[in-house]
Amino acid sequence: MTGEAENDCLFCKIVAGQIPATIVRETETTLAFRDINPQAPTHVLVIPKAHYKNAAELAAGAPQLAADVLAATQAVADDEKLDSYRTVFNTGAGAGQTVWHAHAHVLGGRGLEWPPG
Ligand code: 5GP
Ligand code: ZN
């Protein structure tokens, strides 16, 4: 169910401590951990602890939580001393979403091309 932990969700399992992750930041409502397959020198995923399948469902269902996630991306960038960085929410398989628990990618530490691929 949206907003509650889902049994087969990888990121819900990371929140529950059932799968290890390199956690860089935690708040009451959010968790940030390093991507297992980094695409930049800094590649951190910021997630709401509650389960929403994508950013749009998160924004519609829990706007304050969506704001918490965005605030956490800036905090991660500060911790990583990034002057420039990119925040990405992939939505849908065609855009590269592979984990169906809303997450922001925070990418930085190298030049980032625009437009992205
Ligand atoms: P998406 O492709 O859904 O936008 O992003 C999912 C991200 O989760 C990918 O960048 C992928 O490398 C990362 N990922 C997948 N499995 C794990 C895992 O077990 N641990 C961590 N830390 N990241 C993972
Ligand atoms: Zn989940």
Side-chain angles (χ1 to χ4, degrees), residues 12 33 63 74 117:
C12 284
F33 52 91
Q74 178 65 62

Side-chain angles (χ1 to χ4, degrees), residues 10-11 33-37 45 90 96-99 103 105:
L10 178 65
F11 289 174
F33 52 91
R34 296 200 188 279
D35 196 292
I36 205 167
N37 182 24
L45 301 174
N90 293 326
Q97 188 176 4
T98 58
V99 178
H103 53 279
H105 296 256

Side-chain angles (χ1 to χ4, degrees), residues 77 81-85:
K81 303 194 175 3
L82 300 177
D83 293 328
S84 302
Y85 63 97

Side-chain angles (χ1 to χ4, degrees), residues 11 14 24-25 31-36 43-47 73 76 88 99 103-106:
F11 289 174
I14 288 177
V24 297
R25 186 175 179 84
L31 195 66
F33 52 91
R34 296 200 188 279
D35 196 292
I36 205 167
H43 188 172
V44 171
L45 301 174
V46 179
I47 68 170
T73 65
V76 167
V88 175
V99 178
H103 53 279
H105 296 256
V106 178

Side-chain angles (χ1 to χ4, degrees), residues 39-44 80 82 84-86 106-112:
Q39 302 302 314
T42 291
H43 188 172
V44 171
E80 300 279 317
L82 300 177
S84 302
Y85 63 97
R86 186 169 295 160
V106 178
L107 296 152
R110 64 167 170 82
L112 297 166

